[in-house]
Amino acid sequence: MTLPVRIAPSILSADFARLGEEVRAISAAGADWIHVDVMDGHFVPNITIGPAVVKALRPHSDLPFDVHLMISPVDLYLEAFAEAGADILTVHPESGPHLHRTIQRIKALGKKAGVSLNPASPVELVAEVLGDIDLILVMSVNPGFGGQSFITSQLKKIERLRRMIDDSGRQIHLEVDGGVDAGNAATVIAAGADVLVAGTASFKGGAAQYAANIAALKGH
Ligand code: DX5
Ligand code: ZN
């Protein structure tokens, strides 16, 4: 069963000099989750934000913080992000040697656990942990930067994962991240996604546009 559609604006596309204000504005504009892209300059070719920033932003929104960890090694930092106020911690299988152990650590911290698949990563990487996770994140761009184009080959992967999730009988979010905009959102949802990450498409045009941007992503 597909869950109601949620929009998770990526603050990577917000004005970093005014992040608290931006998180308040996008929350008021109808966002469902706040997507936080954490990059280390090693697992991906960009460096963004760490737990101190997540902690500083936490009082600015009541929405779930959906923290996408593009860092390796990842295990060392799970506790810091959990304590900083993350609600969902999503990891890439390639960022550590023992995915199952990493998921168990996230659960032990009382947080929801997500697994993210890069464009070249096969769905089989999550097959044996479906019983343990709350979310699968399909990367529809190569991770590292906002503003890239949606890789259409990922639609088939989203469809395959939707079938795997439905067959599992569990309620697992299927989230899609990268190049999602008002023009392709309906296609991504039709393929089986229930959470759309959108950076550029959420934050374009300044705060006066945010509510319209989010409504457009929801098809309104
Ligand atoms: C890329 C990040 C994405 C990115 C999305 O590595 O994981 O969350 O910020 O940005 P847009 O929506 O602009 O493609
Ligand atoms: Zn992301």
Side-chain angles (χ1 to χ4, degrees):
M1 183 197 66
T2 308
L3 298 160
V5 173
R6 291 178 168 85
I7 306 299
S10 163
I11 60 169
L12 193 57
S13 297
D15 180 350
F16 271 30
R18 300 184 299 108
L19 264 188
E21 208 178 303
E22 291 275 71
V23 166
R24 286 202 303 279
I26 207 75
S27 300
D32 296 288
W33 293 354
I34 301 297
H35 186 82
V36 183
D37 286 308
V38 177
M39 307 187 186
D40 65 354
H42 165 74
F43 184 68
V44 291
N46 193 6
I47 302 176
T48 56
I49 68 180
V53 175
V54 173
K55 187 175 178 188
L57 291 175
R58 189 60 280 187
H60 292 272
S61 177
D62 293 329
L63 298 178
F65 275 16
D66 172 34
V67 177
H68 179 190
L69 297 170
M70 290 162 274
I71 59 176
S72 177
V74 68
D75 288 358
L76 292 175
Y77 301 98
L78 297 172
E79 191 171 353
F81 282 101
E83 283 177 1
D87 297 283
I88 304 161
L89 290 169
T90 295
V91 301
H92 286 250
E94 298 88 351
S95 67
H98 305 291
L99 178 62
H100 185 273
R101 177 177 286 147
T102 300
I103 293 164
Q104 297 310 315
R105 284 192 175 144
I106 295 170
K107 307 297 282 184
L109 290 164
K111 305 301 175 184
K112 293 202 157 116
V115 175
S116 180
L117 298 176
N118 282 332
S121 301
V123 298
E124 285 72 22
L125 283 176
V126 297
E128 305 303 329
V129 293
L130 279 183
D132 303 291
I133 60 179
D134 305 288
L135 179 146
I136 300 169
L137 173 57
V138 175
M139 290 305 303
S140 40
V141 298
N142 284 295
F145 304 96
Q148 304 180 79
S149 298
F150 188 91
I151 300 171
T152 52
S153 61
Q154 299 307 299
L155 287 168
K156 288 267 174 272
K157 188 196 280 183
I158 296 163
E159 289 171 5
R160 279 204 295 276
L161 287 164
R162 169 48 53 200
R163 285 196 291 275
M164 283 169 66
I165 290 169
D166 288 348
D167 289 348
S168 80
R170 296 192 69 246
Q171 287 215 335
I172 300 171
H173 290 292
L174 184 50
E175 183 175 33
V176 177
D177 184 4
V180 175
D181 59 26
N184 60 23
T187 307
V188 176
I189 293 164
D194 67 278
V195 186
L196 305 182
V197 176
T200 308
S202 297
F203 286 97
K204 68 179 184 187
Q209 289 303 312
Y210 293 171
N213 292 346
I214 289 170
L217 287 159
K218 288 191 173 177
H220 305 143

